[in-house]
Amino acid sequence: MIAILKHGTTEAQTQHLVDWLKQQNLDVHISEGKEVTVLGLIGDTSAVDMDLLGSLEIVDAVRRVSEPFKKANRKFHPQDTIVDVGGVKIGGGSFAMIAGPCSVESEEQIIEVASAVKASGANLLRGGAFKPRTSPYAFQGMQGEGLKLLLKAKKATGMPIVTEIMNISTLDLFADVDLIQVGARNMQNFDLLKELGKTKKPILLKRGLANTLQELLMSAEYIMSEGNEQVILCERGVRTFETFTRNTLDLSAVPSLHQLSHLPVVVDPSHATGKSWLVPPMAYAAAASGADGIMVEVHNNPSCALCDGAQSLTPPQFDQVAQKVRKIREVLA
Ligand code: PEP
Ligand code: MN
């Protein structure tokens, strides 16, 4: 349930109402916008007298929110959420250009790629250290060593970094990571989500291989319900009957998620397609669809990459993509 307050309601009046609602065993989420303040009521609202609430002098309207996700719901929080990732703002018109290799492989590799993508305008560096691979025999990432190299690249370039966590037991290693990624395979690892909800780190939550938008938003809700509201959603393709592409990029997810939720939405055209030549057109389409960012895999030598070389762009290819994405955003602005 939401209560929309009238313009001009004072802080003291709002607080008085919040206290009264809390006495009814409800959790109250306050969203203060430029125009209106919205109170989101979470808990068993069946006993709330909607007519009484609606008749209060400071209340403009009261509505039930039927969706099971509350904190992620745009009805609770009408204005776009802007997540600050190490000084880089994402959402509400600010665009994230996230680039870097699938996996950190060596100091030279990560520094070289980081410097190149930065020069092309990327504002966040990606690089996997803990890799969720389909085969236990495949390269599993450099793990803790990889994280150290990623931190070196952060220091060398000044770029904030994003990297995937697979197990909460490694959380201490992520102290200097700016944005923690939850990969597609862990989107419904609810214990992991709850623990990340207790941290103060921004979280990049990737859509699961076969998950609906509502399921994605319920996973965001797991993080947010624990107190961490800095969640960025990521569309990275879903599994369909089509086998030509690695996944099927669901770009209608971008405006749909924007309608349902206030959280920023970024698109990963690399894992969505699995083919480097499909990455540029899908990156452009993502920008045109209104995404708040793109995440692109870039490798200095894709044919020798230890992971996902076929979908990785070279630095010059990424440079082209970055330029055109900027132009597309200018046209849409
Ligand atoms: C990744 O970004 O490195 C990754 C493994 O992606 P996904 O979880 O989307 O497969
Ligand atoms: Mn990858």
Side-chain angles (χ1 to χ4, degrees), residues 17 51 109 141 156 182 194 210 243 331:
L17 178 55
D51 293 333
Q109 174 243 19
V182 174
K194 279 193 227 169
T243 54
V331 170

Side-chain angles (χ1 to χ4, degrees), residues 126 131-132 164 181 183-185 206 236 271 295 297:
R126 67 150 286 148
K131 295 301 305 175
E164 178 166 354
Q181 174 173 321
R185 290 154 189 84
K206 298 190 90 173
R236 44 77 73 206
H271 292 89
M295 180 156 85
E297 287 190 342

Side-chain angles (χ1 to χ4, degrees), residues 3 37 63 111 154-155 167 230 234 244 275 303 318 320:
T37 296
R63 278 189 217 122
I111 302 265
K154 169 179 169 169
K155 214 168 174 191
N167 192 310
Q230 303 176 85
C234 180
F244 183 72
K275 293 173 166 43
S303 58
F318 174 72
Q320 285 287 309

Side-chain angles (χ1 to χ4, degrees), residues 106-119 125 147-161 176 178:
S106 70
E107 181 167 344
E108 301 72 53
Q109 174 243 19
I110 190 68
I111 302 265
E112 193 178 322
V113 176
S115 312
V117 298
K118 185 184 178 188
L125 174 66
L147 262 180
K148 282 189 199 153
L149 297 181
L150 196 58
L151 289 168
K152 270 195 178 177
K154 169 179 169 169
K155 214 168 174 191
T157 59
M159 293 171 95
I161 52 173
D176 294 320
D178 302 280

